[in-house]
Amino acid sequence: MSLPRLASLDSLRDVAGSGHRTRDGGRVRRHVVYRSGELQLTDEDTLALVGLGLTAIHDLRTAEEVAAHPDAVIPGAAWRHYDVAGIPMDDLIDLPDEPTATALMERVYRSFVEDAGSRRAFGALLARLASPPASQPDGPQLVHCTTGKDRAGWAAALLLAVAGVPEDAVFEDYLLTNECSRVTRGRYLTMVGAALGEEMVPVYERVLVADERYLRVAWEAAGTAYGSLEGYLIHGLGLETAVLERLRERLTDQCPEEP
């Protein structure tokens, strides 16, 4: 089953990609977890998401973001909320230059590791994905934030790491966001140019792109604080090894030996 092309949500994609290979020779299972930006959908795109058979929507936005832009209701999918701070609007309003914008994004990614509330939220998300409640049908689930780039990007990177995908492939997958959201990013940058001047487009582009440096900041912060990414998952997010093993089982398939 291929993903539908949506006019109102160009960031929708499968966390598994086309089936990332894992270190032990398996593959990440497709149609288990999807990722996207906020669900501001046309009626046609809402029906397309219903067609995916989603059983849960996991919203990583803050309560203020949710109140300002509630998700479209997807029949059959339970809505779950995990409050994770994204880019602070006060800092975003008046960015002076590219280095300041880059530093802002690095601070946001570092907070995924250093902020206790963010750790609780990501821990709760991964625990829920590992063991859906008995009242929830077993089926595909969607994780999203506002643009589908940062908070959802970190969640997807963690899921791929748990599945056993090599680090270089995790980073390559993260950067695919730039191609997936190219149209939306171009629209926002056109608005920036019209409102603030063309000279500000490169400045605001820094907060609209997925940059390997941003993900690297969070990845290395996890290693610094907890010894490794696995240490972050266990001690930072509070996930027991049995939970991580259940999540790994849900995410992966073993491939037959190749001749």
Side-chain angles (χ1 to χ4, degrees), residues 44-249:
E44 292 80 3
D45 288 351
T46 297
L47 289 175
L49 281 192
V50 172
L52 293 178
L54 296 174
T55 60
I57 306 293
H58 303 280
D59 190 339
L60 297 173
R61 297 177 297 165
T62 64
E64 292 77 13
E65 290 174 289
V66 172
H69 299 283
D71 279 343
V73 174
I74 307 299
W79 184 82
R80 312 289 182 186
H81 181 228
Y82 313 80
D83 198 312
V84 181
I87 304 172
M89 289 305 299
D90 289 345
D91 293 336
L92 189 60
I93 290 171
D94 192 24
L95 288 172
D97 50 42
E98 291 181 57
T100 302
T102 296
L104 169 62
M105 294 307 302
E106 291 177 347
R107 189 165 73 248
V108 168
Y109 276 72
R110 194 175 292 110
S111 75
F112 298 157
V113 174
E114 296 179 350
D115 180 72
S118 294
R119 292 198 306 273
R120 284 193 298 272
F122 284 117
L125 168 67
L126 266 60
R128 177 76 70 167
L129 291 172
S131 301
S135 59
Q136 177 183 308
D138 191 14
Q141 303 181 53
L142 172 68
V143 176
H144 82 83
C145 55
T146 296
T147 65
K149 175 174 68 75
D150 304 316
R151 290 164 288 188
W154 179 240
L158 294 179
L159 290 172
L160 292 178
V162 169
V165 175
E167 182 178 318
D168 58 348
V170 174
F171 276 74
E172 289 174 9
D173 181 89
Y174 166 76
L175 292 174
L176 286 176
T177 295
N178 291 327
E179 179 59 29
C180 295
S181 60
R182 178 175 50 84
V183 173
T184 296
R185 185 172 66 256
R187 184 166 61 246
Y188 281 131
L189 290 175
T190 298
M191 295 168 59
V192 167
L196 303 177
E198 288 299 321
E199 70 278 6
M200 295 305 296
V201 169
V203 176
Y204 280 87
E205 187 171 27
R206 301 312 310 148
V207 303
L208 291 171
V209 297
D211 189 310
E212 181 174 342
R213 288 174 291 181
Y214 305 161
L215 184 59
R216 182 66 61 187
V217 162
W219 201 274
E220 292 182 352
T224 298
Y226 299 99
S228 64
L229 192 69
E230 184 176 6
Y232 164 76
L233 292 165
I234 294 172
H235 302 294
L237 303 190
L239 299 170
E240 297 179 357
T241 55
V243 173
L244 293 175
E245 185 57 36
R246 284 199 300 273
L247 182 57
R248 188 175 296 111
E249 291 174 356

